[in-house]
Amino acid sequence: DAGVTQSPTHLIKTRGQQVTLRCSPISGHKSVSWYQQVLGQGPQFIFQYYEKEERGRGNFPDRFSARQFPNYSSELNVNALLLGDSALYLCASSPTSGATDTQYFGPGTRLTVL
Amino acid sequence: EDQVTQSPEALRLQEGESSSLNCSYTVSGLRGLFWYRQDPGKGPEFLFTLYSAGEEKEKERLKATLTKKESFLHITAPKPEDSATYLCAVQAWSGNTPLVFGKGTRLSVIA
């Protein structure tokens, strides 16, 4: 069975641009969460979506937004990119939004902002 | 505020030299504690979930244990392929809370 997939693998943008990252969850999983991981740090929570509704939001500015589609895939959008947005962006899926559901991570998208 | 502190930041072992990684946590009611392995440039790979103090889980050379304040990841007779960053995360009972991660322990096992 395929795991969580993310695209693109790598992305290079310049300051002020906008970027869209994509995630497909494990088949049968209805919840998707997004995390940002800066080099040398643990992942930091950005959003959780379940059944197309936002269920949680981390401490990130409004430049960050996300949505979930009827097939449970998800997109993360970041506007007006800053140098500090350079990071590995991780998507994780779980069967439901239940807190005891294990979250399974994708390979991530490496975003570099110049 | 929920917090996770992992120690040491980095650990270098000889092949076969057993050791333990520590994860200390502060959380307003623990729902679950999670251990992940992360290879450079890749996403975290799930290892274990622990729910209550006294619980233990094992997988190959790894064994995770949990107390009310900390968790240990014991590595027995490690091999070079065990080299990775090991991440600890907690989830609290209050509301629909996400995983809160520590910074990880970077493990290097030398042949």
Side-chain angles (χ1 to χ4, degrees):
Chain A
D1 287 343
V4 177
T5 59
Q6 293 186 243
S7 63
T9 304
H10 296 89
L11 207 50
I12 299 175
K13 293 285 188 179
T14 57
R15 281 178 296 176
Q17 286 190 310
Q18 175 265 342
V19 68
T20 297
L21 311 181
R22 295 176 176 83
C23 170
S24 292
I26 293 171
S27 177
H29 286 194
K30 298 181 178 180
S31 180
V32 168
S33 297
W34 287 95
Y35 292 81
Q36 179 196 65
Q37 187 176 25
V38 175
L39 198 62
Q41 303 291 317
Q44 187 173 359
F45 173 72
I46 310 175
F47 286 109
Q48 184 190 33
Y49 276 79
Y50 176 69
E51 293 280 16
K52 297 178 290 180
E53 290 189 4
E54 182 182 304
R55 290 298 185 94
R57 173 185 284 254
N59 188 23
F60 280 80
D62 292 343
R63 300 184 295 108
F64 289 76
S65 63
R67 56 180 175 169
Q68 187 177 32
F69 299 98
N71 65 354
Y72 304 112
S73 67
S74 178
E75 285 183 352
L76 175 70
N77 294 283
V78 186
N79 293 321
L81 286 167
L82 303 174
L83 295 179
D85 295 330
S86 295
L88 182 67
Y89 287 84
L90 295 164
C91 173
S93 78
S94 56
T96 70
S97 65
T100 53
D101 279 346
T102 296
Q103 294 188 23
Y104 296 91
F105 285 83
T109 293
R110 170 69 64 187
L111 172 64
T112 302
V113 182
L114 302 176
Chain B
E1 183 181 333
D2 302 335
Q3 284 191 321
V4 176
T5 302
Q6 292 189 245
S7 62
E9 290 185 7
L11 182 63
R12 187 180 173 96
L13 298 174
Q14 292 293 321
E15 184 173 4
E17 179 186 2
S18 302
S19 187
S20 295
L21 313 183
N22 177 265
C23 171
S24 297
Y25 63 89
T26 304
V27 64
S28 53
L30 180 69
R31 221 170 203 171
L33 184 141
F34 302 79
W35 282 98
Y36 288 86
R37 169 194 168 128
Q38 186 173 30
D39 292 309
K42 298 190 177 181
E45 174 190 346
F46 171 72
L47 294 173
F48 304 108
T49 307
L50 302 168
Y51 295 105
S52 57
E55 189 175 0
E56 299 182 351
K57 288 193 177 174
E58 288 187 67
K59 179 181 179 180
E60 296 180 358
R61 295 178 292 282
L62 300 177
K63 178 180 177 180
T65 62
L66 181 64
T67 72
K68 288 186 178 180
K69 293 183 179 181
E70 57 192 352
S71 176
F72 293 93
L73 185 65
H74 307 278
I75 303 177
T76 302
K79 298 181 178 182
E81 53 261 42
D82 295 321
S83 298
T85 294
Y86 290 85
L87 295 166
C88 172
V90 297
Q91 196 164 37
W93 274 109
S94 55
N96 190 39
T97 54
L99 295 177
V100 175
F101 282 86
K103 293 182 179 181
T105 293
R106 191 171 63 255
L107 174 67
S108 299
V109 182
I110 311 304

